[in-house]
Amino acid sequence: MKKKLLLFFTAITSVFTYAQITGNVTSNINETLPFVNVYINDTYIGTTTNEDGNYTLDVNKTGNYTIVFQYLGFKTLKKTVNILKLPFVLNAKLIEENISLSEVVINSEENPANQIIRNTIAKRKDVLEKLNEYKADFYSRGLIKIKDAPKTIFGQEVDDMLDTELDSTRSGIIYLSETISKIEYQKPKRLKEKILASKVSGDASGFSFNNATDVNYNFYNNTIELGNTVISPIADYAFNYYKYKLEGTFYDDKNNLINKILITPKRDNDAAFSGYIYIVEDQWLIYATDVTITGKRTGIPPIDLLTLKQTFSYSDTDNIWALISQTIDFKYGLLGFKGEGKFTAVYSNYDFTPEFDAKHFTREILSFEENSNKKDSIFWEEKRPVPLTSEESTDYLKKDSIQLVKESKPYLDSIDNKNNKFRLGNILGGYSYQNSHKNYRFSVDSPIKKITFNTVQGWNATLGMQYTKNYDEYKRYFSISGDVNYGEADDRLRGTIYARYRFNRINKRFISLSGGVKTEQFNSLNPISNTENLVSTLLFEDNYMKLYDKSFVQGQFYQELFNGFTLNSSLAFERRKALFNNSDYVLVNEVRDSYTSNNPLNETDYITQPFNTHNIAKLNINTTINFAQDYLSYPDGKYNIPNRKYPTLYLAYEKGFAATNSNYNFDQFKARLRQRIDLGNKGEFEYDAQGGIFSNANNIAFMDYKHFNGNQTNVKLDGSYLTSFKNLPYYTLSTNNNYAEIHVEQRFNGYILNKIPLLNKLNFNLILGAKAAFTQDNKPYSEYSIGVDNIGFGKYRFLRVDYVRSYQSGFLNDAIMFGISF
């Protein structure tokens, strides 16, 4: 019976597999030619060969066909065949193209490539306008491999992390995935995509993250997003970044003269490509691209080299050169890992005269057809336009065959038993226990890891514990966490507990309940971290952190009510009590009277408390509005994509009520705008503006004031440069009256420094910033900064340095800030 079933499914598979034109493409000296474009003449029905030179062309009807084989560096071949029966095998041999320069061009006093590029730039906007709408089929395959992986990383065995991916040479495929989808476009809307089929090696229920939007690289735009903004070789201002050389010409199968132009960046670190761009004479359109760029130029340090190839095809019917294939190859290396990857895309069956109704395009730009991840091998054999290589076929067979084993309870238990063993390193890094079969995890933080110091508690340590239970593939989960903190100077044990339940990843609704006793900074945004405070206190005797004691219970609700509109609300009951310094310990100085008091209102007053002990209830209602927000609809979650054309608006209301001291009751209304604007080759401009209005707040407790995020340590470790001041004392401008603040920052991303001799060798980025704060009780405060980031060595470039000048009714002071920037 089993043999009969096997024969039956084999026969069915064969029927679907052979209802196609298949073949192999080689050079005239029998070299395999990968990624040759194969399509039916004068149509956009096509495919490409795989790395073994094999192709599959989706043809389901017999008849006469002219098949075109197109490959850069080789003459385009057309073969006319009369197909009487499917499947049909059609192999091809391609002859190298004869690329030459005419005597006129060789003897020309002017660079002929420059004029060709100028003509193409002049045509750029017309092309974008002409390709204002279309439909097409899209196929993508992604492959990422590791070569010679290290044995350990940060003390963790790599074999444990990668499990079965590595072979005896410590190499292997770590990601293999495919998608088949329908794409639609109408200017000025975003590209819209519906994925019909998705396959992930080793995960029968997985959904591929290969999609058309992520690889929509259009050289007719001025810039291309590849980590950083990369300048197109036919951008309006391309001559500021590129040198051009005409290396030769040849004629394509339609007798179009094709110009092969070498492009070279003018400067070492500019975000510009190297390689070739092929331009059709007289039409001044792109025939193909074959360009490379380093990770240093793209702002993606792990990438060593990225190669992007595109090929276009012309249809007499549509009078359009359309993209039909694209490959992205890259090599990477970081932390001892080295590898390579390839993403192949095929575009076919274009329709340039679609009839979209007015409501066709919504903010949903990616969706999945039901059961798109459940397609069987018969479907993939029939519909996959680029055949699998032997390596890819082996990876699918290997990982799919062991998936059931890896999901079985005995296997999961064996892995957990290995990982759950206590090791000496857990004392420093913490310990975790996991039950993969039941989908829960318990962990305990290292008590050594969270030892810190402040003048209220002295030396203190925190022990944290977490438990998480996952319920289903839609990422419903319940988590509960807690911590216990003990301070040796005040001899006080404090603790908190936090429980949270998330309902789904679609609207991301969750509820939480928390409570306990803890020390809290007067500015609840924690402008100074425990690490920064420990260093500044013990080494420089600057105890900037000011704390009070808070006992509380709080409930919270969060949900995206509809696309682009999020509600986050909380209700809390708090008991606040003032704290005083209990430690005068110093590390380097024997003089022990230099610490300021814990009273942020008067740092020389060691006796008076800044507020009276009291109870209060607090209601917070916060909304976030992302205008014109697009989103990706994966079956297991919704992924939002804010629209950079519009700012994000935050509106909030805060109310303090039922206080034991009625003077501490108050209302506050807050608003905030934030936006990052892409300026093309000139970098990015970002701003954050916010303000608030207090009501009935004349005598409220100090922790309920508006506090501006200042800095007095000259370091910034959390990367929040835009929303905080660089040189403002933490509580100087705190107010319970109306206020406003604005932060702006211009990141030039090499636009200026890369043009300055010698400095352009450093690959630094210039950043200009300006900030201001306005309150009723103080004169306006402002500061201006000039800085550079991308400082470091090799691939590790995450340091930033700023010079800041502060003003308030004249010059106040200046400072140099050191920090981390990613």
Side-chain angles (χ1 to χ4, degrees), residues 738-792:
N738 302 342
Y739 63 90
E741 63 180 301
I742 185 167
H743 308 258
V744 298
E745 196 168 85
Q746 170 67 42
R747 301 176 59 88
F748 288 97
N749 293 339
Y751 177 70
I752 293 178
L753 295 186
N754 281 358
K755 296 178 174 64
I756 301 175
L758 298 182
L759 283 179
N760 60 7
K761 304 294 183 182
L762 300 174
N763 199 26
F764 292 166
N765 295 326
L766 179 67
I767 305 168
L768 298 181
K771 301 171 181 291
F774 308 91
T775 66
Q776 287 185 329
D777 307 318
N778 302 280
K779 292 184 178 180
Y781 170 87
S782 62
E783 60 183 39
Y784 307 90
S785 63
I786 180 170
V788 291
D789 71 354
N790 204 41
I791 302 171

Side-chain angles (χ1 to χ4, degrees), residues 564-691:
F565 187 92
T566 300
L567 173 68
N568 185 5
S569 60
S570 65
L571 178 63
F573 298 91
E574 302 175 3
R575 177 183 181 273
R576 289 105 159 247
K577 181 181 179 181
L579 296 173
F580 298 90
N581 286 348
N582 291 292
S583 176
D584 60 0
Y585 176 82
V586 293
L587 191 63
V588 296
N589 193 345
E590 293 301 322
V591 179
R592 297 172 179 251
D593 59 355
S594 57
Y595 285 137
T596 60
S597 76
N598 190 50
N599 185 344
L601 294 171
N602 186 349
E603 293 185 343
T604 63
D605 186 346
Y606 296 85
I607 300 174
T608 307
Q609 58 186 22
F611 64 92
N612 295 323
T613 301
H614 64 280
N615 300 333
I616 191 171
K618 292 190 70 174
L619 172 68
N620 277 280
I621 300 175
N622 302 277
T623 62
T624 302
I625 304 172
N626 286 308
F627 299 99
Q629 173 182 272
D630 295 319
Y631 62 93
L632 313 177
S633 290
Y634 276 78
D636 63 345
K638 177 174 179 279
Y639 300 87
N640 296 326
I641 304 176
N643 193 325
R644 286 195 179 186
K645 293 181 180 179
Y646 304 96
T648 298
L649 173 62
Y650 305 86
L651 298 173
Y653 170 67
E654 182 180 22
K655 182 176 182 63
F657 63 100
T660 51
N661 182 341
S662 61
N663 290 329
Y664 289 169
N665 295 331
F666 71 96
D667 298 273
Q668 184 185 182
F669 301 88
K670 296 178 279 188
R672 179 181 179 187
L673 281 175
R674 184 170 183 174
Q675 186 178 13
R676 177 180 294 178
I677 302 171
D678 187 353
L679 299 179
N681 66 320
K682 298 177 181 62
E684 292 180 331
F685 177 78
E686 192 171 7
Y687 69 86
D688 186 295
Q690 53 184 296

Side-chain angles (χ1 to χ4, degrees), residues 52-289:
D52 298 328
N54 298 320
Y55 75 92
T56 300
L57 188 58
D58 189 14
V59 174
N60 296 314
K61 294 181 180 180
T62 58
N64 292 319
Y65 293 92
T66 299
I67 309 301
V68 181
F69 299 86
Q70 179 187 356
Y71 191 57
L72 284 178
F74 289 78
K75 292 182 181 293
T76 298
L77 174 67
K78 290 184 177 180
K79 283 194 170 188
T80 300
V81 292
N82 182 19
I83 298 177
L84 301 176
K85 182 181 178 182
L86 290 170
F88 188 85
V89 178
L90 182 63
N91 298 322
K93 286 185 180 292
L94 302 186
I95 302 172
E96 286 192 52
E97 185 67 73
N98 180 22
I99 300 177
S100 60
L101 286 173
S102 68
E103 289 295 327
V104 175
V105 171
I106 294 173
N107 297 322
S108 174
E109 294 182 1
E110 295 184 3
N111 181 355
N114 287 352
Q115 189 56 51
I116 294 170
I117 293 297
R118 288 191 184 96
N119 292 339
T120 306
I121 292 172
K123 194 83 172 182
R124 187 181 66 81
K125 291 182 180 179
D126 291 340
V127 175
L128 291 173
E129 189 62 35
K130 188 172 184 178
L131 287 172
N132 61 349
E133 62 177 5
Y134 59 83
K135 292 181 178 180
D137 293 339
F138 176 78
Y139 168 79
S140 175
R141 180 151 81 234
L143 173 73
I144 302 176
K145 296 193 290 186
I146 281 181
K147 292 191 172 182
D148 191 22
K151 292 186 177 181
T152 60
I153 176 173
F154 300 129
Q156 177 74 27
E157 291 186 9
V158 170
D159 291 352
D160 291 344
M161 293 188 290
L162 296 178
D163 198 10
T164 58
E165 276 76 4
L166 300 180
D167 58 23
S168 59
T169 66
R170 306 199 60 74
S171 303
I173 295 175
I174 58 172
Y175 177 80
L176 173 60
S177 180
E178 300 174 90
T179 60
I180 294 175
S181 57
K182 297 282 187 182
I183 58 175
E184 298 170 324
Y185 174 73
Q186 185 180 63
K187 190 177 181 180
K189 309 288 194 310
R190 279 183 184 259
L191 189 72
K192 180 180 179 180
E193 179 176 11
K194 184 166 188 177
I195 293 181
L196 308 181
S198 177
K199 183 176 178 67
V200 180
S201 181
D203 187 355
S205 300
F207 291 95
S208 169
F209 278 83
N210 305 346
N211 60 70
T213 302
D214 288 344
V215 295
N216 187 27
Y217 304 130
N218 190 341
F219 281 79
Y220 288 104
N221 291 325
N222 279 322
T223 59
I224 296 167
E225 292 297 324
L226 277 172
N228 276 345
T229 298
V230 182
I231 311 303
S232 168
I234 59 169
D236 291 338
Y237 36 78
F239 280 96
N240 295 330
Y241 294 87
Y242 290 99
K243 294 183 290 186
Y244 303 93
K245 179 183 177 182
L246 179 62
E247 289 216 337
T249 60
F250 61 91
Y251 287 92
D252 72 353
D253 60 299
K254 298 181 184 295
N255 209 34
N256 294 305
L257 181 66
I258 310 299
N259 299 285
K260 181 182 180 182
I261 297 175
L262 174 68
I263 61 173
T264 308
K266 284 188 171 182
R267 292 165 293 271
D268 287 342
N269 294 318
D270 276 347
F273 295 104
S274 302
Y276 295 94
I277 185 169
Y278 297 78
I279 303 297
V280 183
E281 183 78 12
D282 294 330
Q283 298 182 50
W284 314 120
L285 301 174
I286 298 175
Y287 175 81
T289 64

